[in-house]
Amino acid sequence: MGNRLPEELIEKVHQSVDIVDIVSEYVQLKKQGRNYFGLCPFHGESTPSFSVSPDKQIFHCFGCGAGGNVFSFLMQIEGVQFLQAVSQVAERTNIELPATTQIPETTGQNNLELQPMIDAHDLLKKFYHHLLVNTKEGQEAYDYLLNRGFSKEVIDKFEIGYSLNSWEFVKKFLAKRGFHPEIMDQAGLLVKKNETNEYFDRFRNRIMFPIHDHHGHVVAFSGRVLGNEQPKYLNSPETKLFNKSKLLYNFHQARVHIRKYQEAVLFEGFADVISAVESGVPNSIATMGTSLTEEQVKVLKRNVSDVIICYDSDQAGREATMRAAKILTKAGSKVKVAVIPDGLDPDDYIKKYGSEKFKQDVIGASVTLMSFKMQYYRKGKNLQDEGDRLKYIEEILKEIAVLESPVEQEMYVKQLSAEFSLSIEVLKDQLSRTERKSQQQQFSKYENKQQQSRKATSSRPKNGLLPAFHNAERMIIAHMLKNSDIAQKILDQIGLMFNIEEHRAIATYLYAYYEEGNPPNVSLFLGKLPNNQLSEVVSNIAMLQINEEVTDQEIADYVKQVLNYQKLLMIKEKETEKLEAERQREFVQAAKIAMEIVHLKRALKS
């Protein structure tokens, strides 16, 4: 792994950053009291249970149990190793690490295999861009882009490039720089001829659009043909670097604007995003030529709650909008729809009507999801026809039934009533029937889930309550984390006689931590723990609300609960022995055990 970093330097890096700032780059946080809360990035949830403590410099999820300090967070969310997490924080705060420290640049996968792929993509991005803007070979492509309305600023911002009309130029270009053809084939930059060891360039005579991951690394390309060849767009295949179901185009640049506006604008393709950004909508992102996926929604939900869908206005676009809206609302997002008239896509609309009209009349005039659905269900129906009219009303009532807000339900019921001259009472009666039917369907699904949940949780304490001794141990450790003197008292009174295995291990590490002369610092202590399991327990305990001042009596009560539990276990064991002795008709032995039980019970009260 290379030379180990000195502990003093790790601590300097650790203290140079606020964990809230780092976590905020991945999770939308809101302050509540002394801590910040948001949706956990490590598991799906609709109610925030993920907490970050600026005082303690730790995070903890009360849903899945994930927890730790700033390094733990980066290790888990980026999939990196410890030294990589330290390096990332050091880079942010301009702290230089020793040149002898070998820190891999890629994630926790095979670094030797992935790093050349990343380097090759970055090199080709620069080379393609150079060819487009600085050479006669790229002039035709450059003129094409300018004629299509792309400005030089946008070409530079999105690092658009051009690939030569050659079968082998990139292969030779990369080979001269030490990139192995087989690895470049796996990276999606070259193509291997069938049953031979020969390779050729994947992209030829195309305008090249780099595709970045969410951290800004180029991981793929999309090439648009200049002539009439097919396919019109040629994309990189899925590789170990590139998974199109997980990436959102332009997210690496849009994230800061999404946070600023508290809203994301979602498009179907990167051409729409580029036009929208140039039109003054910097919080624009797009799916990668596929339907919106749950993985992409999780990325969005961690960063923002409100999403505007701006897809093509043809039938396929409307269908895609409905699918995207369904998955977004299921994840708890608030969805609006930007409706484009005349059957145009966003890029065409901007070119026809201009940027300002797009911002004001399309994005600025976004409608509620329910309003869009009412337009959607009208398509293809003749509302003068009784059958079509009844079908439309039934479809809209089903949609109204799932609205959570009674005010919204009332508003749309009144709209239906006014439009079709139906009494509000009749519509509400039908709405109630629709809701009951929907609830019955949901109830059977819920019951199945509950049965599985009961099986999984049958051994847990009722109402999630922990036994008294367990709570006492947690409170003892919470005070030990804040005060080394209390830790010394517990060492003298309990030592390692904790009943919970994880608590014994934590106490062992905590005693050693203070023995080394370290100050009370939960975040620093977390860095000393050997695994995530203990880190999660410590971060959970550290989030407990405890009194700043604790009396000796309070500590003594906790210690008594811990030690008494062991006595209770011994009493139960003795009672079993006594019953067995009586069963064997060994009455003298049974009487002796009974006296031991009496002494143990007296000890409990003392």
Side-chain angles (χ1 to χ4, degrees):
M1 185 67 184
N3 296 342
R4 180 175 174 80
L5 290 174
E7 290 290 336
E8 300 79 22
L9 182 56
I10 292 174
E11 178 54 18
K12 180 182 177 182
V13 174
H14 179 254
Q15 292 183 353
S16 70
V17 71
D18 187 342
I19 190 173
V20 174
D21 295 335
I22 298 294
V23 175
S24 292
E25 295 182 17
Y26 301 87
V27 182
Q28 184 182 8
L29 296 175
K30 291 184 179 179
K31 192 169 186 182
Q32 296 179 17
R34 298 176 69 175
N35 294 341
Y36 290 80
F37 285 85
L39 296 173
C40 180
F42 305 117
H43 80 288
E45 62 178 6
S46 56
T47 303
S49 63
F50 181 84
S51 177
V52 182
S53 169
D55 297 336
K56 300 167 184 171
Q57 288 294 297
I58 62 173
F59 73 94
H60 182 76
C61 176
F62 295 96
C64 69
N69 60 14
V70 66
F71 298 140
S72 319
F73 179 81
L74 287 171
M75 289 167 69
Q76 292 180 56
I77 202 161
E78 296 277 11
V80 297
Q81 300 168 22
F82 177 72
L83 281 183
Q84 293 169 283
V86 175
S87 175
Q88 287 184 19
V89 175
E91 187 177 345
R92 294 166 194 255
T93 54
N94 297 316
I95 295 176
E96 283 195 28
L97 300 183
T100 54
T101 306
Q102 298 175 14
I103 300 173
E105 297 178 28
T106 58
T107 60
Q109 304 177 62
N110 188 331
N111 297 325
L112 293 176
E113 185 179 8
L114 293 187
Q115 193 58 49
M117 296 183 182
I118 291 175
D119 293 343
H121 276 88
D122 186 62
L123 179 63
L124 282 182
K125 173 200 71 175
K126 295 172 182 175
F127 179 65
Y128 287 148
H129 185 65
H130 168 75
L131 285 175
L132 178 72
V133 300
N134 296 317
T135 71
K136 62 179 182 181
E137 288 84 357
Q139 190 63 49
E140 181 186 354
Y142 191 67
D143 291 341
Y144 172 86
L145 288 170
L146 293 178
N147 291 332
R148 287 277 296 172
F150 286 76
S151 66
K152 186 180 187 310
E153 291 73 25
V154 162
I155 290 171
D156 290 340
K157 180 179 179 64
F158 288 90
E159 301 170 295
I160 302 169
Y162 169 71
S163 61
L164 293 170
N165 190 13
S166 167
W167 291 89
E168 294 187 325
F169 188 90
V170 166
K171 181 185 77 171
K172 292 177 180 178
F173 176 81
L174 292 173
K176 284 180 182 178
R177 287 155 181 79
F179 294 99
H180 196 282
E182 184 178 351
I183 300 296
M184 296 302 97
D185 172 37
Q186 295 172 16
L189 298 172
L190 301 178
V191 178
K192 184 178 181 180
K193 294 181 181 178
N194 291 334
E195 300 178 358
T196 70
N197 285 324
E198 295 183 43
Y199 297 85
F200 59 87
D201 297 358
R202 179 177 294 277
F203 300 102
R204 301 177 303 281
N205 192 32
R206 288 178 179 269
I207 295 171
M208 301 297 290
F209 296 88
I211 297 170
H212 299 76
D213 65 16
H214 296 163
H215 312 296
H217 301 122
V218 180
V219 293
F221 290 99
S222 181
R224 190 197 191 284
V225 71
L226 274 175
N228 296 318
E229 297 176 27
Q230 292 297 323
K232 182 178 178 181
Y233 284 96
L234 178 65
N235 298 325
S236 294
E238 293 214 343
T239 66
K240 292 178 181 178
L241 288 181
F242 176 50
N243 185 332
K244 61 186 177 184
S245 68
K246 294 182 178 180
L247 292 187
L248 289 162
Y249 180 76
N250 194 48
F251 186 79
H252 68 295
Q253 293 189 123
R255 176 169 18 205
V256 64
H257 303 290
I258 288 171
R259 294 283 178 80
K260 178 181 177 181
Y261 297 116
Q262 288 295 293
E263 192 172 64
V265 184
L266 178 66
F267 295 91
E268 283 188 284
F270 58 82
D272 296 331
V273 167
I274 294 170
S275 293
V277 170
E278 190 168 24
S279 297
V281 188
N283 51 332
S284 300
I285 53 174
T287 53
M288 304 299 303
T290 62
S291 297
L292 187 67
T293 65
E294 289 187 3
E295 289 91 343
Q296 291 166 334
V297 170
K298 285 178 182 177
V299 171
L300 274 176
K301 198 69 178 71
R302 289 201 298 263
N303 290 272
V304 72
S305 296
D306 294 5
V307 180
I308 296 175
I309 302 174
C310 187
Y311 284 3
D312 295 357
S313 56
D314 58 10
Q315 181 60 27
R318 290 192 294 271
E319 297 287 351
T321 298
M322 290 291 283
R323 290 195 299 271
K326 183 177 181 180
I327 193 171
L328 282 165
T329 51
K330 183 180 178 182
S333 296
K334 182 181 177 183
V335 179
K336 292 198 293 184
V337 180
V339 181
I340 299 177
D342 304 330
L344 300 173
D345 62 33
D347 184 34
D348 290 335
Y349 182 93
I350 292 168
K351 287 177 173 54
K352 184 174 181 179
Y353 296 106
S355 300
E356 198 59 35
K357 195 168 179 63
F358 176 73
K359 284 178 65 178
Q360 297 297 327
D361 295 353
V362 177
I363 302 301
S366 300
V367 300
T368 65
L369 178 57
M370 189 63 211
S371 294
F372 172 78
K373 287 179 177 179
M374 294 177 86
Q375 296 176 30
Y376 172 80
Y377 286 116
R378 283 177 181 272
K379 295 288 183 181
K381 289 186 177 70
N382 175 11
L383 294 184
Q384 303 303 313
D385 177 80
E386 184 179 344
D388 281 0
R389 190 162 62 247
L390 286 172
K391 184 177 181 182
Y392 172 75
I393 293 170
E394 183 179 343
E395 289 170 336
I396 297 303
L397 284 174
K398 284 181 180 178
E399 295 293 347
I400 293 174
V402 299
L403 293 175
E404 293 184 0
S405 168
V407 175
E408 279 190 278
Q409 287 189 332
E410 179 85 7
M411 183 175 70
Y412 292 117
V413 165
K414 284 183 177 179
Q415 281 189 28
L416 282 179
S417 172
E419 183 176 2
F420 297 104
S421 301
L422 295 170
S423 73
I424 291 178
E425 290 73 21
V426 168
L427 288 173
K428 284 186 174 180
D429 181 61
Q430 184 63 35
L431 179 63
S432 297
R433 295 183 186 185
T434 303
E435 287 177 330
R436 283 197 298 271
K437 185 176 180 181
S438 176
Q439 288 168 358
Q440 287 170 358
Q441 292 172 348
Q442 292 297 322
F443 182 74
S444 59
K445 294 179 182 178
Y446 173 78
E447 273 297 293
N448 290 335
K449 287 183 180 179
Q450 284 295 99
Q451 287 177 7
Q452 295 173 2
S453 177
R454 288 188 199 106
K455 290 178 182 178
T457 60
S458 58
S459 60
R460 297 179 188 171
K462 291 182 180 179
N463 301 322
L465 297 177
L466 296 171
F469 79 90
H470 195 146
N471 276 323
E473 291 187 4
R474 283 165 56 83
M475 295 300 291
I476 286 172
I477 293 173
H479 285 292
M480 289 170 66
L481 288 168
K482 295 192 72 172
N483 191 316
S484 58
D485 292 335
I486 291 177
Q488 183 60 48
K489 289 180 182 178
I490 298 302
L491 174 61
D492 295 339
Q493 296 178 43
I494 294 181
L496 295 177
M497 294 175 63
F498 288 85
N499 299 288
I500 305 298
E501 185 178 349
E502 288 92 343
H503 295 171
R504 282 198 299 274
I506 291 166
T508 302
Y509 284 106
L510 195 51
Y511 294 148
Y513 172 82
Y514 285 132
E515 186 66 27
E516 292 171 357
N518 293 305
N521 184 320
V522 178
S523 187
L524 180 61
F525 174 60
L526 283 166
K528 307 284 186 180
L529 297 176
N531 57 53
N532 284 339
Q533 184 180 355
L534 291 182
S535 295
E536 290 172 1
V537 176
V538 170
S539 63
N540 181 287
I541 291 173
M543 290 291 187
L544 291 173
Q545 298 296 319
I546 60 173
N547 296 326
E548 292 293 327
E549 299 294 330
V550 60
T551 64
D552 290 341
Q553 184 59 51
E554 187 178 344
I555 294 296
D557 290 341
Y558 292 143
V559 170
K560 184 177 179 181
Q561 287 284 359
V562 173
L563 297 179
N564 277 357
Y565 180 69
Q566 296 174 18
K567 294 174 184 176
L568 285 171
L569 291 179
M570 194 175 299
I571 288 171
K572 287 184 179 180
E573 186 179 330
K574 290 294 181 183
E575 286 175 341
T576 302
E577 290 178 10
K578 177 174 170 288
L579 288 173
E580 179 61 21
E582 289 172 347
R583 194 178 67 83
Q584 297 291 337
R585 304 183 69 79
E586 296 175 358
F587 299 113
V588 174
Q589 179 65 15
K592 183 180 178 183
I593 295 172
M595 286 302 298
E596 292 178 8
I597 293 172
V598 170
H599 290 308
L600 285 170
K601 287 184 176 180
R602 284 176 181 169
L604 280 177
K605 297 177 182 177
S606 62

